Amino acid sequence: MVLTATSTNNVKVYTVSGSNLARKIPDWLARRKRKELQKDIEWSTRIELIQDFGFPEAALRIKATPDGTHCMATGLYKPQIRVFDFANSSMKFDRHTDTENVNFLIMSEDWTKSVHLQNDRTLEFHNEGQMHYRARIPRFGRDLAYHSPSCDVLVGGASSEVYRLNIDQGRFMTPFQTQSESGINVVEVNPAHQLFGFGTEDGTVEFWDPRARNRIGALEPTIPNLLQPVAGTRGGFEITALDFRADGLGAAVGTSSGHVLLYDLRQARPWQIKDQQYGLPIKVLKWLEPTRSYSGDSADTEGAKIMSADSRIIKLWAVESGKPYTSIEPPCDINDVCVSPGTGLVYVAGESSDIQTYFVPQLGPAPQWCHFLENLTEEMEENQKQSIYDDYKFVVRRELESLGLGHLVGTPVLKPYMHGFFVDLRLYERAKAIANPFAYEEYRIRRVQEKLAEARESRIRATTKLPKVNRALAQRLLQMQKAETTKRKAAEDEDEGDEEEVKRIGGRQRKKVQAAAVTASAVLEDNRFKDIFADPEFEVDEGVDEYKQLHNTYAKRVQKTLDRDDSSDEEDLDIRHEKIVESDAESVDSDNDFYQ
């Protein structure tokens, strides 16, 4: 078993677990065919960093606990919550819910207290044993945040209000009335000075002071040369992601157009704008500060990074310079991304049954509970190894007889496989050299012919480009024009010599050829008939029986005309040849008389 590794800008990303690494086998099949699976090398050597790390259908959200010992994820189907224990590398428990989850928060240092925003306008509070309480909000929610000093849960949704549920008093407080007319997409709390940030559907970011409970400022981001602006918004896009830096001064804003803007809260203009290049809404934004390894050295020497993710790709780039650092492209659509605190382990929840896990050594060390991952990735990295079949050649029985090795059938020299045999490569090359000693000469002649053919193909030829629609009809019309031109030139050449030949070429046949040429020119050059060769609706199907019945005599007449033209051309050549011979004989006789 090997680990798939990708390298972008010399930064390696290892796929530790996921659906693209090991086969997904149902549990009932694994139980029934346990003995057979023990003989399967790929199944027996698979890597499961965490057992049952996934959901039956898809994973929606994933977050790690602040103490780094557990992680909680939501998924479907059926809608459920799962908690995974890192110390035991397994799932601790799962708990089913009535509806799908929109987002959730972990309110304690461990997994015991959490609040979940559901898509049926409810807030569910869970403890270690069960769902503790359920509250209903007036409008459908889109995001939530927790303000620990005041014990307020902030919920933004499809309205201009941000609802406040105080879990200390157990009641709703007066909501924040924003200036957004459409709704609130994202709610975030600054970790340094507890400033509230609300990203609206109108394309603005409002900042509120929790002490005064008033709006103290707003940002109206603008992106120059936006290709597909969204109607009803001020800047042509919506705010879909927001994240504050730990120092309290930096803010990252993600838009529905796939752009990321970095702000200093002391300035109104962004000092960095990055395009995700896919045009998809930004789903996740995270500030990644440089971490320290076990030895005390910095694992990342290039400063802080920004992780931006849409539904297709995860990109990491430098904060100061904006240069790309690395990227991760999962095999499924992305719903959420979680980075283990202080490590280089990345969890990706997406539209697949498995939660993808990636390890970036240059981003940070491996977590303490899987410290073996750093050595494991180096040992099991995917390398090009020689296969056991590289020293053998597969041949069929006919080729075996032509090489004179048919008498070896049934001996250990030939390994029967499917409809042929495996033979040692050295024996095959030696037998081929004896059976065909001139193989190199044939190969050289064949290569020379191929080179000459390529040289001929590179020559410039006068070709007529036929249309894609009714190609056969266009070719016949061009042949009519060509036939008329040939007849006219032949008549002009014979006009100076034999008048009888001119009469033979002329007449009724020549008039028919000229009339057909005029008709062909009219069809090909007149704009009224251009749709015949451009519109597929006018395509003539010559393979149907109706067409064959209507054009049977016409096809025979065309073939007969072509045969007559060929015979007349041969007669013309014979007459010209006789004239040339007679003129040469006369010139020779005159020369003899002169010398005599």
Side-chain angles (χ1 to χ4, degrees), residues 186-214:
V186 58
V187 179
E188 193 70 25
V189 178
N190 195 305
H193 43 69
Q194 306 300 315
L195 183 69
F196 295 162
F198 305 139
T200 67
E201 191 175 347
D202 298 335
T204 61
V205 181
E206 297 189 8
F207 298 102
W208 287 65
D209 188 354
R211 299 166 298 182
R213 299 184 183 90
N214 290 324

Side-chain angles (χ1 to χ4, degrees), residues 372-389:
F372 56 86
L373 200 58
E374 294 184 351
N375 298 329
L376 187 65
T377 52
E378 296 178 0
E379 294 175 0
M380 303 186 67
E381 182 178 353
E382 184 178 12
N383 294 320
Q384 296 294 334
K385 296 182 179 180
Q386 186 179 10
S387 175
I388 59 175
Y389 295 107

Side-chain angles (χ1 to χ4, degrees), residues 172-438:
F172 281 97
M173 310 299 289
T174 304
F176 294 146
Q177 183 67 41
T178 64
Q179 295 184 358
S180 174
E181 299 178 356
S182 302
I184 310 298
N185 289 335
V186 58
V187 179
E188 193 70 25
V189 178
N190 195 305
H193 43 69
Q194 306 300 315
L195 183 69
F196 295 162
F198 305 139
T200 67
E201 191 175 347
D202 298 335
T204 61
V205 181
E206 297 189 8
F207 298 102
W208 287 65
D209 188 354
R211 299 166 298 182
R213 299 184 183 90
N214 290 324
R215 195 184 72 161
I216 61 174
L219 289 177
E220 295 185 3
T222 57
I223 299 175
N225 302 325
L226 189 62
L227 297 179
Q228 296 179 351
V230 179
T233 59
R234 299 183 183 180
F237 51 83
E238 302 176 8
I239 304 299
T240 58
L242 177 64
D243 189 46
F244 290 105
R245 197 171 184 177
D247 60 2
L249 297 178
V253 179
T255 67
S256 60
S257 60
H259 292 80
V260 178
L261 299 88
L262 300 185
Y263 282 92
D264 189 332
L265 295 181
R266 297 166 293 185
Q267 298 179 357
R269 294 184 179 181
W271 54 274
Q272 192 75 260
I273 299 178
K274 292 291 292 185
D275 190 358
Q276 197 83 350
Q277 301 294 332
Y278 281 98
L280 301 174
I282 302 297
K283 289 190 173 183
V284 180
L285 276 178
K286 292 184 181 297
W287 293 81
L288 302 179
E289 302 295 340
T291 58
R292 296 285 178 179
S293 62
Y294 297 130
S295 60
D297 299 332
S298 176
D300 185 6
T301 59
E302 298 183 5
K305 303 288 183 296
I306 284 289
M307 173 183 286
S308 58
D310 54 17
S311 60
R312 185 173 297 181
I313 193 172
I314 304 170
K315 289 188 177 183
L316 285 83
W317 41 281
V319 172
E320 300 298 334
S321 60
K323 294 181 179 179
Y325 185 67
T326 188
S327 62
I328 303 173
E329 191 168 0
C332 59
D333 290 344
I334 301 170
N335 290 330
D336 195 12
V337 181
C338 175
V339 181
S340 183
T343 67
L345 205 60
V346 181
Y347 310 108
V348 180
E351 297 295 329
S352 67
S353 58
D354 294 333
I355 297 177
Q356 312 291 324
T357 308
Y358 300 93
F359 178 54
V360 187
Q362 297 186 17
L363 193 62
Q368 187 65 33
W369 59 272
C370 60
H371 57 85
F372 56 86
L373 200 58
E374 294 184 351
N375 298 329
L376 187 65
T377 52
E378 296 178 0
E379 294 175 0
M380 303 186 67
E381 182 178 353
E382 184 178 12
N383 294 320
Q384 296 294 334
K385 296 182 179 180
Q386 186 179 10
S387 175
I388 59 175
Y389 295 107
D390 288 347
D391 296 332
Y392 290 89
K393 175 69 176 179
F394 180 80
V395 294
V396 296
R397 186 178 290 273
R398 183 181 301 175
E399 186 178 1
L400 204 64
E401 296 292 342
S402 63
L403 295 176
L405 301 177
H407 62 282
L408 297 178
V409 176
T411 62
V413 179
L414 299 179
K415 308 293 183 183
Y417 183 76
M418 295 179 65
H419 62 285
F421 304 89
F422 275 113
V423 62
D424 190 274
L425 186 61
R426 294 169 297 179
L427 177 61
Y428 173 80
E429 292 178 351
R430 186 177 301 176
K432 189 175 181 180
I434 295 174
N436 190 6
F438 302 103

